[in-house]
Amino acid sequence: MRRLLTVLAAGAPLAASVYLPTATAAPHESSGPAKAACVAPPLKAPAGAEAESVSAVRRPGGTVHGSGILGGTVTGVPAYCEVTITLTHPGAGDRATVRTWLPEDGWNGRFQGLGGSAYAAGDNGVGLATAVKNGYAATTTDAGVGDVLDVDWGLRGDGRVNTALLTNFASRSQHEAAVLGKQAVAGVYGRRASFAYFNGCSTGGRQGYMEAQRHPDDYDGILANAPAVSWDEFEVATLWPQVVMNNERTYPSSCAFKAFTDAAVKACDPLDGLRDGLVNDAARCDFDPRRLIGTEVPCDDGKHTITAADAAVVRRIWDGPRTPSGQKLWSGVPVGADLTGLARVTEPDAHGDVKGEPFPVPRAWVATWLEKQPSFDVATITYERFARLFRQSRAEYGKVIGTDDPDLSAFRKSGGKLLSWHGEADEYIPPQGTVEYRRQVERAMGGARRVDNFYRLFLAPGTPHCGLNRGKGATDDLGALRAWVERGEAPTVLPATLVDAQGRSVTRDLCGYPRVSRYRGHGDPADATGFRCERH
């Protein structure tokens, strides 16, 4: 369970909303300090919705504990006003809650919307507390659904998909939270926020892209990292490692998977001019896992010899989903990522047998929304059936939750800015999916230079899912977005701290796509000044 919580926390904006003060992100000057008048403000529900209740409660701050299985703790939170709004949509039978936290003193004049994780539509309190601690008024919504692994809401009592709640989760509730959160700010402080930002990773990243696509006027700036765009396709695609192991009847051990990853990183690490354990362009790594056949690797229960079957499984997982005829469907797990994230197996039973242990998010998507049978055994999926499920998901849910419309012209016209980074070692959401979306936007909107005016993507070498701010690494992504929105300082790089193969903290400039970082050949390899960004 501890590992599972760590995995799920990777998809939550637990620290992505942390604002690290820098000279490039000074507080915006406003008309003077605002003190929260913590009374229920008058609110107008968005079109199609009705507000059932509105309340305002003063909270003393201090230590805030995150709810649900993700948990988390934030200390030193100042006193704040909590405005809670309950919404429903007539005829839908739903009930969504929108929470807005507003610092009693020291509001920086800005509004921040927070995204969710896995099947949770919103923040569990940790992001809200962090935002308030850094001077923001912040809003989130539960969309009327549950915690990160709760999918009981997916089907109605008659076994049909609950389209109202899926619509809430996919798009509607985040827009409504933005509308109502801004009203709460104006009502409590007596003036509107100077700037509005969205902040999310994984599911939250997808929600940010959906806001840009469908509600371009909601936010001035959107920080959407490791975004789960093309949800209808990639969510099925991430079940592929389990499908491969089950169909090949081969379940490599965790130490075998690690051996393949380590060997690939060792082979492809020098492509950027320096051996530091950080692969700067994982998509170019063409390491053939068959090179390890016959190699002995140490395991907890002794040595394991890599077999041809092991190598065949890893080769298919890295290559990604294909139809039985060989047609490419989606990107595979990137080289350098932890293969046990999606290709996890159980501990050996009394007979020494193991089986696949699928990641719960894609397992639930296939069982609940595609098969409409929550107890469906995904281990029974053949290659042929997998291809059918992939096409089915795209056909049934592409327009609902795909979040991959490349036409961002309305967002560009509104003056909005979209900033994303994605880890090149993301074990749960292949970064190539985000890269492909960016390419589609370029094709639809006049090329890379025009798109760079409002949308920039940065790839982070050696970084797992939502990993920069979750682990030892860091980058002031929100500060960079603020500087872009408020002063027109478009980021050419994102200065970051990463962790190299020896566990040391090193500074790197995350390069704007399509450029990658390359060592200059001289200078301190632990310092960003020793690198430059160039096209590969």
Side-chain angles (χ1 to χ4, degrees):
M1 176 59 75
R2 179 177 299 176
R3 181 182 186 280
L4 179 59
L5 295 184
T6 301
V7 164
L8 293 172
L14 299 182
S17 58
V18 175
Y19 168 54
L20 307 175
T22 67
T24 63
H28 176 71
E29 293 183 1
S30 60
S31 58
K35 187 176 179 66
C38 198
V39 294
L43 298 173
K44 180 181 179 181
E50 292 181 358
E52 290 189 334
S53 65
V54 181
S55 65
V57 179
R58 181 186 182 276
R59 304 293 186 189
T63 298
V64 173
H65 299 284
S67 63
I69 65 174
L70 289 183
T73 301
V74 181
T75 60
V77 180
Y80 60 93
C81 177
E82 180 176 42
V83 175
T84 303
I85 307 152
T86 303
L87 282 180
T88 188
H89 301 88
D94 65 335
R95 181 169 287 104
T97 300
V98 176
R99 292 186 296 157
T100 304
W101 291 12
L102 308 100
E104 190 173 78
D105 293 293
W107 178 45
N108 64 15
R110 299 174 178 87
F111 171 77
Q112 187 178 148
L114 295 170
S117 173
Y119 290 108
D123 182 69
N124 73 338
V126 172
L128 288 166
T130 303
V132 166
K133 186 175 179 178
N134 290 295
Y136 293 85
T139 288
T140 197
T141 177
D142 67 5
V145 299
D147 203 3
V148 289
L149 294 183
D150 178 10
V151 295
D152 289 345
W153 55 271
L155 301 179
R156 304 175 65 92
D158 59 5
R160 293 183 300 168
V161 171
N162 191 324
T163 55
L165 289 182
L166 183 59
T167 299
N168 284 359
F169 176 71
S171 59
R172 179 164 58 188
S173 287
Q174 276 297 339
H175 168 61
E176 292 174 342
V179 172
L180 291 171
K182 291 178 184 179
Q183 291 184 41
V185 167
V188 169
Y189 290 127
R191 69 168 188 261
R192 294 183 298 175
S194 300
F195 299 99
Y197 296 95
F198 181 86
N199 191 345
C201 192
S202 193
T203 283
R206 184 197 63 77
Q207 292 166 321
Y209 275 65
M210 184 68 88
E211 281 290 290
Q213 292 167 17
R214 296 194 184 179
H215 305 287
D217 297 321
D218 280 354
Y219 292 98
D220 302 298
I222 294 175
L223 179 62
N225 300 325
V229 295
S230 302
W231 176 284
D232 57 309
E233 295 173 300
F234 108 85
E235 206 58 84
V236 180
T238 48
L239 200 60
W240 176 251
Q242 295 290 325
V243 173
V244 170
M245 292 191 298
N246 291 327
N247 280 269
E248 301 303 320
R249 294 179 172 84
T250 299
Y251 303 89
S253 63
S254 59
C255 56
F257 278 136
K258 184 177 184 303
F260 284 110
T261 299
D262 290 347
V265 170
K266 183 178 180 180
C268 297
D269 185 11
L271 291 175
D272 63 0
L274 179 69
R275 288 188 178 275
D276 57 0
L278 298 172
V279 178
N280 280 284
D281 192 1
R284 292 180 61 206
C285 183
D286 59 357
F287 176 78
D288 189 339
R290 291 175 294 188
R291 290 168 57 182
L292 287 192
I293 295 173
T295 302
E296 285 191 343
V297 297
C299 294
D300 292 339
D301 57 350
K303 290 187 176 181
H304 174 85
T305 301
I306 301 295
T307 67
D310 292 333
V313 163
V314 171
R315 193 180 186 194
R316 280 180 176 265
I317 291 174
W318 279 344
D319 179 56
R322 290 183 181 271
T323 66
S325 64
Q327 178 189 358
K328 185 81 168 180
L329 296 175
W330 201 253
S331 301
V333 175
V335 168
D338 181 2
L339 287 164
T340 63
L342 296 177
R344 185 174 173 81
V345 301
T346 64
E347 293 295 328
D349 61 19
H351 303 288
D353 296 327
V354 300
K355 61 181 180 179
E357 187 176 337
F359 189 54
V361 181
R363 189 210 68 79
W365 179 254
V366 170
T368 299
W369 279 274
L370 299 183
E371 295 290 348
K372 282 81 171 177
Q373 301 174 42
S375 61
F376 174 73
D377 184 3
V378 297
T380 64
I381 298 175
T382 63
Y383 288 131
E384 291 79 5
R385 190 169 188 176
F386 177 88
R388 292 197 300 270
L389 288 167
F390 188 91
R391 292 191 293 269
Q392 176 191 348
S393 186
R394 184 167 52 196
E396 292 185 11
Y397 301 106
K399 293 182 179 179
V400 179
I401 198 172
T403 323
D404 50 9
D405 182 355
D407 183 2
L408 297 178
S409 55
F411 184 70
R412 178 177 60 187
K413 185 177 181 180
S414 75
K417 309 299 181 188
L418 172 61
L419 188 154
S420 294
W421 60 255
H422 204 141
E424 294 221 59
D426 193 321
E427 67 273 46
Y428 300 112
I429 300 180
Q432 284 305 114
T434 305
V435 169
E436 179 55 32
Y437 174 76
R438 160 75 196 211
R439 289 171 177 165
Q440 291 172 2
V441 175
E442 291 176 4
R443 290 194 291 269
M445 301 191 64
R449 289 188 178 182
R450 291 188 178 183
V451 173
D452 275 344
N453 290 331
F454 67 94
Y455 170 26
R456 298 202 173 189
L457 170 65
F458 300 83
L459 298 181
T463 299
H465 186 56
C466 294
L468 277 174
N469 293 336
R470 174 176 61 87
K472 297 178 181 178
T475 185
D476 186 10
D477 44 12
L478 187 54
L481 180 61
R482 279 176 45 167
W484 192 10
V485 168
E486 298 175 22
R487 295 194 301 280
E489 299 173 3
T492 56
V493 297
L494 277 186
T497 300
L498 303 177
V499 180
D500 68 9
Q502 284 71 46
R504 300 174 303 178
S505 291
V506 297
T507 60
R508 293 284 189 274
D509 287 338
L510 306 187
C511 301
Y513 173 82
R515 296 179 301 159
V516 296
S517 179
R518 183 170 180 82
Y519 185 54
R520 295 177 183 271
H522 57 83
D524 185 354
D527 191 275
T529 57
F531 295 77
R532 65 177 179 270
C533 291
E534 60 181 37
R535 289 179 178 268
H536 60 69

